[in-house]
Amino acid sequence: MNMSLHSERYRAIMRELELKNKIRVVDLAEKLNVTPETIRKDLSALEEKKKLRRIHGGAVQYIGLIKEHHFNKKIGIFHYQKKLIGEAAARYIMDGETIALDVGSTTLHIASSIKNVENITIVTNSLAAAEVLNNRLENHLFDGRVIVLGGTSNPLQRSISGTITNQLLEHFYFDKAFISCGGMNKDGIFDFNIDEATASSIMIRRSKQNYIVADSSKINQRALFQIGSFAEINYLITDQDVPYDWIMDPIIKTVNWINAADIRSN
């Protein structure tokens, strides 16, 4: 009997959480006609099951620590959405600009979409992007130069990072930086590798305008290391509209949120 009541309350709590993304002990106690202490115990039990995360006075949705795939596997995940985002982002690259392009399967699609621009300089620590960009230069799809940063290679991610990379980045000023990520929530933008996250952070700091490019599966997720906060970001290009529970956040309001599907349809 008690177990049945527990299960019924658990289901009710999870329904509320799905609707509101954030729930309060006092509201749940009143709605379910039980004591706040009972709700606290329920929330603790659900947290142990990784169904939610306790916060002061209530709970929010559980955000697990997602793991990074090898680069070759990442290319095939959400491929269509990443292609849309890459095409949309490439439209913001103008003649004569100096561009930073960090590592990631989404920024690779930016490299694949750059065309009909002149005298641009692209600085990247992505070996995969550098290969694509060099091929496009050879085929005269755009005019400019590609600078590949030195450092320590990560063959599984086809990237360059580390102390040397970071020192080199400190010598550049960028018009625009295009940054991928492993996850993002209202607290900021995250990645899996501390060296790659640090390189991306420097790109952001040394750029006039910053663009986050990430498919919607990264929303409300986090990786281990923080790249930066949304206070540093000018544009976010993804494949969905801003989530309802993000709309009123004062920092998110300052970011130009772009749905790549809308750009393609125009």
Side-chain angles (χ1 to χ4, degrees):
M1 179 72 174
N2 287 338
M3 185 61 69
S4 176
L5 288 173
H6 285 166
S7 299
E8 188 176 333
R9 279 202 314 273
Y10 292 169
R11 286 193 291 270
I13 289 169
M14 294 308 299
R15 282 196 298 270
E16 285 294 299
L17 188 57
E18 288 174 9
L19 288 171
K20 299 178 179 178
N21 295 313
K22 181 179 179 180
I23 49 179
R24 297 197 310 155
V25 169
V26 290
D27 295 335
L28 288 170
E30 182 178 352
K31 185 178 182 68
L32 300 178
N33 195 29
V34 293
T35 66
E37 183 58 31
T38 297
I39 294 297
R40 291 189 189 97
K41 291 178 180 178
D42 288 346
L43 295 182
S44 294
L46 288 166
E47 185 176 46
E48 287 182 9
K49 298 174 183 291
K50 296 186 176 181
K51 298 294 186 181
L52 50 76
R53 181 166 63 87
R54 292 291 308 276
I55 60 171
H56 180 70
V60 294
Q61 290 184 342
Y62 176 77
I63 301 171
L65 185 63
I66 53 179
K67 297 180 180 179
E68 185 172 32
H69 296 287
H70 291 176
F71 187 83
N72 289 339
K73 185 173 182 179
K74 287 196 292 186
I75 292 174
I77 300 173
F78 295 101
H79 178 271
Y80 175 75
Q81 291 87 342
K82 291 174 181 178
K83 186 172 185 295
L84 275 183
I85 294 164
E87 291 172 353
R91 295 190 182 195
Y92 289 89
I93 298 174
M94 303 298 171
D95 293 349
E97 290 185 331
T98 299
I99 302 298
L101 203 63
D102 81 347
V103 301
S105 53
T106 305
T107 46
L108 178 63
H109 284 288
I110 300 176
S112 300
S113 302
I114 296 173
K115 60 184 178 182
N116 302 328
V117 286
E118 298 183 354
N119 192 33
I120 64 170
T121 299
I122 302 174
V123 179
T124 186
N125 59 333
S126 168
L127 294 172
E131 182 180 353
V132 169
L133 290 166
N134 280 322
N135 287 336
R136 294 180 74 79
L137 275 175
E138 289 177 12
N139 289 299
H140 306 290
L141 294 173
F142 72 92
D143 171 68
R145 60 179 176 162
V146 177
I147 298 174
V148 185
L149 294 164
T152 303
S153 68
N154 180 342
L156 293 179
Q157 297 302 328
R158 299 179 68 186
S159 66
I160 299 289
S161 61
T163 303
I164 295 172
T165 310
N166 298 339
Q167 289 174 347
L168 290 170
L169 278 168
E170 294 288 356
H171 293 280
F172 288 95
Y173 291 100
F174 304 109
D175 294 297
K176 293 168 183 170
F178 293 87
I179 306 297
S180 59
C181 65
M184 57 183 170
N185 58 43
K186 286 183 282 187
D187 293 329
I189 306 103
F190 303 86
D191 209 353
F192 303 94
N193 180 287
I194 188 170
D195 291 327
E196 292 175 7
T198 301
S200 297
S201 295
I202 297 171
M203 289 178 178
I204 287 173
R205 176 162 52 81
R206 301 193 67 81
S207 178
K208 293 178 185 176
Q209 283 190 341
N210 293 304
Y211 296 70
I212 296 298
V213 289
D215 67 82
S216 55
S217 71
K218 308 294 175 59
I219 296 174
N220 285 326
Q221 299 288 345
R222 63 180 173 86
L224 193 55
F225 302 103
Q226 185 161 10
I227 295 172
S229 73
F230 277 104
E232 303 169 280
I233 304 306
N234 303 102
Y235 293 83
L236 190 152
I237 305 177
T238 185
D239 58 289
Q240 72 164 54
D241 293 332
V242 57
Y244 178 77
D245 58 314
W246 290 38
I247 290 174
M248 298 309 295
D249 186 278
I251 299 298
I252 301 299
K253 280 183 174 182
T254 67
V255 178
N256 294 288
W257 189 289
I258 297 165
N259 186 333
D262 293 339
I263 291 182
R264 170 172 273 198
S265 62
N266 290 335

